[in-house]
Amino acid sequence: MIFKCKNCGGNILYNPDKGRLVCPHCDGEDSDDKLVSTEYMTHCANCGAPMDDVIKEHTSATKCPNCGTYVVLDERVEGKYTPDVIIPFKISKQKAIEILRAEFGKRVFTPAGFLSNASVDKIEGTYVPFFMYDYSTDTDFKGRGSKVRTWSDSQYEYTETSVFQVERCMKADFDNVPVDASIAMEDSIMDLMEPFDYRGVVDFQDRLMSGFLGEKYNMSKEELEPRAFSKVDGAVEGLLRESMSEYATIQTEFKDIKKDTRRIRYALLPIWEYVFSYQGINYRFHVNGETGKVVGQTPVAKNKVFAYGATVFGMVTIITMMIRMALSVM
Ligand SMILES: [Zn+2]
Ligand SMILES: [Zn+2]
């Protein structure tokens, strides 16, 4: 499908600054008309140019290499591929370029042309497929915690070690635990792109994709659930540790984290991607299309991927935490 402007027939695009579809040709707002493709798309519905080069196995939205029209592939956002929700782009292309320049522009030794108008103009917004898992967890923990106290008098130094039997029962709900469902996007990069602000989630509408590239999920929610589980286990572990921070050491005797899946949603999340080729190597830079967080590696520091501007949005609601402690030995 392509979205055409009712007023002038041009390709109308979603405008992140205005939060609606705006025609770049006549400034018409929300004047979109959906032109549905009836068969599997191999040619541009606007100019007829072949699209084989830009339609890959999992592509759900792309741009015609000939006329630049943004195309959404009907059958890859429908049926089993219909996303439940989407976070529309809030950061415009211009803003994404400004963010990249502010972050990397002043670094010494950055190669010429790195953020020049010609190269940075190739930045594209992509909707990356994610699954978002909601869990209720119920954790039981038993272990031994120690506290150490030292003091001295004129003759001796004393050390007192108290050992406590520590128990924790914790119920915590986790909402929107995100796992990216794209093979093309590296998991480590996507993990650094987080967090997204899930208050920006809206019900899926295909028109919001006009102006961006996109991918459908290429791994199932079942295949990806182990990654969601390990994220939740890690978060539960963190909460447990926090609740026992008064102990110098903790020995685990028993731990059970029960997880109850409340909901799984298929989501499209917005990412700007800028690829810069330098001496035969492609360097990838990503800007979170909602929060503006930047992830990238500069050509001067090859092995390091940096994440900048972490804003934390809580995904955890603690319902109850029961703490039982009993002083036992010594
Ligand atoms: Zn128009
Ligand atoms: Zn075309």
Side-chain angles (χ1 to χ4, degrees):
M1 66 188 83
I2 58 179
F3 293 86
K4 283 193 171 259
C5 172
K6 276 178 194 155
N7 306 333
C8 74
N11 185 203
I12 185 166
L13 310 173
Y14 183 79
N15 181 314
D17 291 328
K18 297 201 164 166
R20 55 181 55 196
L21 274 83
V22 178
C23 177
H25 314 282
C26 73
D27 294 331
E29 295 194 357
D30 287 331
S31 55
D32 52 306
D33 226 353
K34 177 154 87 175
L35 188 71
V36 174
S37 324
T38 45
E39 50 197 276
Y40 186 77
M41 191 179 291
T42 50
H43 292 78
C44 173
N46 184 53
C47 75
M51 301 271 280
D52 326 31
D53 284 354
V54 288
I55 299 180
K56 307 263 163 58
E57 193 185 351
H58 303 295
T59 304
S60 67
T62 188
K63 188 178 172 180
C64 171
N66 183 50
C67 71
T69 298
Y70 283 93
V71 176
V72 180
L73 278 76
D74 302 54
E75 63 286 320
R76 292 182 184 178
V77 293
E78 287 172 2
K80 63 174 180 169
Y81 293 121
T82 311
D84 297 303
V85 290
I86 185 168
I87 296 181
F89 275 84
K90 285 209 171 66
I91 305 279
S92 65
K93 178 173 177 171
Q94 199 45 48
K95 179 81 184 142
I97 291 171
E98 279 167 27
I99 290 171
L100 283 175
R101 287 201 169 126
E103 199 53 64
F104 298 105
K106 290 189 200 79
R107 279 164 206 267
V108 278
F109 305 128
T110 35
F114 171 48
L115 291 168
S116 69
N117 289 337
S119 37
V120 91
D121 196 55
K122 295 194 194 92
I123 188 171
E124 290 286 355
T126 297
Y127 278 111
V128 180
F130 273 76
F131 286 107
M132 304 201 306
Y133 300 81
D134 295 356
Y135 296 108
S136 290
T137 64
D138 196 342
T139 304
D140 272 311
F141 174 89
K142 285 188 182 63
R144 270 157 199 271
S146 71
K147 288 184 183 179
V148 180
R149 192 163 70 95
T150 54
W151 68 97
S152 53
D153 58 24
S154 51
Q155 267 185 301
Y156 299 106
E157 261 189 27
Y158 302 89
T159 302
E160 178 196 75
T161 305
S162 310
V163 179
F164 297 80
Q165 182 70 37
V166 183
E167 292 186 16
R168 293 286 185 272
C169 300
M170 182 174 81
K171 285 183 197 290
D173 274 9
F174 295 87
D175 290 340
N176 303 318
V177 176
V179 178
D180 86 89
S182 152
I183 289 170
M185 285 285 176
E186 242 178 84
D187 291 348
S188 59
I189 302 272
M190 283 305 105
D191 287 348
L192 287 172
M193 282 272 86
E194 292 165 20
F196 287 87
D197 181 353
Y198 295 103
R199 291 170 297 187
V201 166
V202 298
D203 287 341
F204 176 72
Q205 297 168 47
D206 46 22
R207 59 200 286 277
L208 299 178
M209 294 181 79
S210 189
F212 305 97
L213 314 183
E215 241 189 85
K216 67 173 177 58
Y217 66 82
N218 44 75
M219 291 174 83
S220 71
K221 56 188 179 210
E222 291 80 16
E223 281 174 291
L224 290 166
E225 191 152 37
R227 285 197 63 215
F229 279 161
S230 77
K231 284 187 173 187
V232 169
D233 286 344
V236 166
E237 196 70 48
L239 289 171
L240 276 178
R241 298 264 151 223
E242 232 173 80
S243 80
M244 299 185 288
S245 56
E246 72 225 72
Y247 300 102
T249 63
I250 295 281
Q251 254 185 302
T252 304
E253 288 166 346
F254 174 80
K255 187 171 67 185
D256 178 41
I257 305 171
K258 284 193 184 68
K259 290 178 279 282
D260 178 30
T261 310
R262 281 182 289 116
R263 184 170 62 165
I264 304 174
R265 292 188 291 174
Y266 172 33
L268 296 182
L269 305 186
I271 303 279
W272 285 103
E273 185 174 46
Y274 171 48
V275 182
F276 178 70
S277 293
Y278 179 64
Q279 297 184 340
I281 299 171
N282 281 341
Y283 294 90
R284 288 170 192 281
F285 298 84
H286 297 92
V287 178
N288 183 316
E290 185 194 26
T291 66
K293 185 181 178 184
V294 189
V295 174
Q297 44 179 175
T298 47
V300 282
K302 277 187 192 164
N303 300 318
K304 239 179 147 194
V305 176
F306 298 98
Y308 302 93
T311 325
V312 176
F313 300 101
M315 64 168 184
V316 56
T317 330
I318 300 171
I319 303 173
T320 54
M321 168 142 17
M322 279 153 51
I323 297 175
R324 290 198 293 273
M325 277 182 300
L327 180 59
S328 59
V329 248
M330 280 162 74

